[in-house]
Every structure is written in structure tokens, then in C-alpha cells.
Amino acid sequence: MSESQDTIIRQLQQYTTCDVSDALCKLKYRNGGFLSGLTMWSPQRQDGPTKIVGPAYTVKYVPLDDPAPKHPNHYIDTVPKGAVIFVSCPRKTPNAVYGGLMSTRALVSGAVGSVIDGRFRDLQEQRELQYPIFARDVGTAPPAELLKVAAVNVPVQLQTDEQEMEVRPGDYLIADLNGVVVLPVELVEQALPLMQKQVEADDKMAVEIKRGMTFTDASKRFR
């Protein structure tokens, strides 16, 4: 990971996913970068202070009958240190596409967490590892009877009918109790100052609202 990426990650760690989305909304980026349907499963289920921030390392699963050739090596062995693994698979896949051994290897590689746009398995093992997992749901069966990995570090589409969102290699993924947000790498320098400004304004608003000021008046004064 580059020095510039380290600096960006340290800055982003100060903010929640909501702060990131607020900034992206100001920049007119669709849905504030929110990736719908992905929630925290490990180390706890939607509880605790877990937050992950890092550049996306993407994995694309496709059906076995897809003409694309199978990726020659296992993706988990080339995860960069500091990355967030983002695994994409076709919609309505009943099988899990990620398991406990993947997280064991990811930890050794220095990954900070995994986001599974589908199902994962071995939930207890994930929690024993204290490894952050954000996903759509859990499952029990492995993927091999239905799917193959066709590509690594390519742009992938979020697998939902709620929105059209893309995750590209190197885009920043931020995930916490509120959900998962993608921050396009080209918007980072514009977004970070907006986050700081918004948080400072909100902190001042909270103080005055607690003293009795209306939300409307506080908004006019500080936003």
C-alpha cells in the first residue's frame, strides 16, 4: 500500500459511513455511495465499534456456464495488505461464496475485512477470528457446483435491483454499523474536507439543540 493510501485511510477512519455519504451527496454522487443490503455479521451482528476502511480488492464470481475462463489462481493468495476484499456473485445464488479459511488467509495477508455481495458461511469461525464480515446473508454450501471465479481486481456491479452501483479496484470501502459505502478514488480529495466541515457543523448543532434551539434554527446557523 502506498504512503498516500495510508494517509487517506487514517483520515477516513475518523468518519462514519454516514459522514462519507453526506460528503458524496454534496458531490452529487449517486446514493452517497451507499451499497444497499450489506450489513455486519462478524465479529458481531450489527453491534459494537467495528469499522473497516481500505482500498477494494474485487473478486468476480460467474456461473459455471459463463464463457469466461476460470481465474488460474486462488484470489485469496494475492490480497494486498490493508485491502478490503469485495466478493461479487450473481443474484439469488443460494450457495455461500466465502468461508472461514478465506478469512484465516486474509488475516495473514493483512486484509482489514471482507464485504460479500452474496452469502458467506462459517459464521462462528469468523467470529472466533474476530474478522470483520459484511454480507447479504449466510449459507452452508460452497460455491463450486454453481460458480467459478472469472476475474480479480476488475470493476463489479452491486448485485441488487435497488440501485446501480459499481465497485472498482482501488476505490475506498468504508463499513460500519450503518452499512457499506464506496468512495470513488477520484473523489477522495474533494470529499474529505466536506466530511470535516459537516461533522464540525453537526457537533455544534447538537450542542445548541440540547440547549433548546430548534433543528431549523440550528441548521440555518451552522449549515
Side-chain angles (χ1 to χ4, degrees), residues 10-11 15 45 91 128 156:
R10 283 196 300 272
Q11 291 176 287
Y15 302 108
R45 177 65 174 136
R91 298 182 198 182
E128 288 170 359
V156 293

Side-chain angles (χ1 to χ4, degrees), residues 41-45 123-130:
W41 290 84
S42 175
Q44 296 172 274
R45 177 65 174 136
L123 178 55
Q124 188 59 40
E125 187 176 343
Q126 309 284 0
R127 290 178 175 172
E128 288 170 359
L129 290 169
Q130 290 290 293

